[in-house]
C-alpha cells in the first residue's frame, strides 16, 4: 500500500510539472486527481474547468456539486472514489480536448489505473467513454451498464453536468448513477 501511495504521488508531481502538450500554456494549476489509493471505484471525467484549474482539484465547481449529489444516489461518498480526468489541464474556454492532447496525457491516467487497480472504472461523459472504452459507443445506450474491456470493468455514465445544460438530461443522468448503486450492491 505504501508503495502505491508513493507511486501515485510521483505521478501527481509529474503532472504538476508536465509540459507535454499545449494545454500547459493556459493552465493555472494542473489537476492530477484526488482520492484513496485503494479506492474501489475510479471516476474519470473530461478535463478540468475553471474552478478546477484555480483550485488544482477535480470536480469542485458546479459539475462537482452535481457529482457529489449523484454519488449519494449511488450510496457513495465522494471521498471513497478516486476522481480524475482524461486530460489533467484545462482547455482554453473549456473547449473539448484535442486528440493529441488526450494522447499526450494518457500515460498519467494509465499509471493511476495501474496503481489503484479499481474494481469499477466509471467514465463520466462521452469523451471519456470514447477514449477509454469504445470510440464509436453512444453514451445514452451504454449509460449505467457494465462493460468489460482491456482487462477492466467499466461503468460508463452520463456526465454529471449534462443536466445543468439540458434539463432533459437530468433523468438519464440520475438513472445511470442509480444503476451504478445497484451494481455496487450486487443487485445487477
Ligand atoms: N468536468 C469534468 O469533466 N471534470 C472536472 O474536473 C470538472 C468538470
Ligand atoms: Fe501534460 Fe496532460 Fe497537462 Fe498536457 S494536459 S500538459 S499532457 S498534464
Amino acid at each position: 500500500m505504501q508503495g502505491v501511495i508513493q507511486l501515485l504521488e510521483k505521478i501527481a508531481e509529474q503532472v504538476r510539472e508536465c509540459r507535454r502538450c499545449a494545454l500547459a500554456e493556459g493552465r493555472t494549476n494542473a489537476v492530477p486527481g484526488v482520492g484513496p489509493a485503494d479506492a474501489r471505484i475510479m471516476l474519470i471525467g473530461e478535463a478540468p474547468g475553471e474552478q478546477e484549474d484555480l483550485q488544482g482539484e477535480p470536480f469542485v465547481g458546479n459539475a462537482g456539486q452535481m457529482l457529489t449529489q449523484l454519488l449519494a444516489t449511488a450510496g457513495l461518498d465522494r471521498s471513497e472514489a478516486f476522481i480524475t480526468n482524461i486530460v489533467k489541464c484545462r482547455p482554453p474556454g473549456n473547449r473539448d480536448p484535442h486528440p493529441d492532447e488526450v494522447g499526450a496525457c494518457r500515460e498519467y491516467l494509465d499509471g493511476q489505473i495501474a496503481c489503484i487497480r479499481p474494481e469499477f472504472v466509471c467514465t463520466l461523459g462521452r469523451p471519456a467513454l470514447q477514449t477509454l472504452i469504445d470510440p464509436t459507443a453512444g453514451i445514452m445506450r451504454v449509460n449505467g451498464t457494465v462493460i468489460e474491456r482491456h482487462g477492466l470493468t467499466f461503468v460508463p455514465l452520463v456526465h454529471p453536468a449534462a443536466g445543468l445544460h439540458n434539463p432533459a438530461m437530468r433523468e438519464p443522468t440520475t438513472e445511470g448513477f442509480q444503476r451504478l448503486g445497484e451494481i455496487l450492491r450486487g443487485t445487477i
Side-chain angles (χ1 to χ4, degrees), residues 15 18-24 27 30 87-89 101 104-105 108:
V15 165
C18 178
R19 307 204 66 84
R20 270 190 208 172
C21 86
L23 298 182
R27 76 180 176 216
V87 297
K88 314 300 194 196
C89 302
E101 295 158 351
C105 211
Y108 300 124

Side-chain angles (χ1 to χ4, degrees), residues 6-180:
Q6 281 162 353
L7 259 171
L8 273 176
E9 187 43 45
K10 195 171 152 211
I11 295 170
E13 275 166 30
Q14 287 170 346
V15 165
R16 286 187 204 105
E17 289 168 10
C18 178
R19 307 204 66 84
R20 270 190 208 172
C21 86
L23 298 182
E25 272 142 53
R27 76 180 176 216
T28 314
N29 293 292
V31 182
V34 67
D38 61 351
R40 191 179 173 203
I41 300 198
M42 272 181 88
L43 304 171
I44 305 177
E46 176 176 349
E50 185 181 18
Q51 282 306 313
E52 291 77 20
D53 172 73
L54 290 173
Q55 298 182 42
E57 283 225 17
F59 285 97
V60 289
N62 288 336
Q65 281 189 18
M66 283 306 302
L67 177 63
T68 304
Q69 286 176 29
L70 287 160
L71 285 172
T73 307
L76 279 171
D77 189 275
R78 65 181 275 155
S79 65
E80 295 175 71
F82 190 94
I83 308 176
T84 188
N85 286 297
I86 53 173
V87 297
K88 314 300 194 196
C89 302
R90 183 193 183 200
N94 298 346
R95 66 158 169 79
D96 290 350
H98 296 158
D100 61 322
E101 295 158 351
V102 174
C105 211
R106 182 63 191 262
E107 198 183 325
Y108 300 124
L109 181 60
D110 286 344
Q112 291 171 323
I113 295 171
C115 282
I116 295 165
R117 301 181 354 100
E119 204 175 322
F120 296 100
V121 178
C122 299
T123 55
L124 304 177
R126 185 168 57 92
L129 161 68
Q130 295 191 339
T131 298
L132 295 175
I133 307 176
D134 177 351
T136 64
I139 182 75
M140 298 307 279
R141 279 181 57 91
V142 297
N143 180 34
T145 65
V146 175
I147 302 178
E148 308 279 351
R149 198 66 57 92
H150 317 305
L152 296 167
T153 303
F154 289 98
V155 180
L157 296 167
V158 171
H159 196 284
L164 295 172
H165 309 306
N166 177 0
M169 289 303 290
R170 281 183 202 150
E171 206 175 295
T173 309
T174 305
E175 271 172 22
F177 279 82
Q178 281 168 346
R179 282 193 214 128
L180 172 65

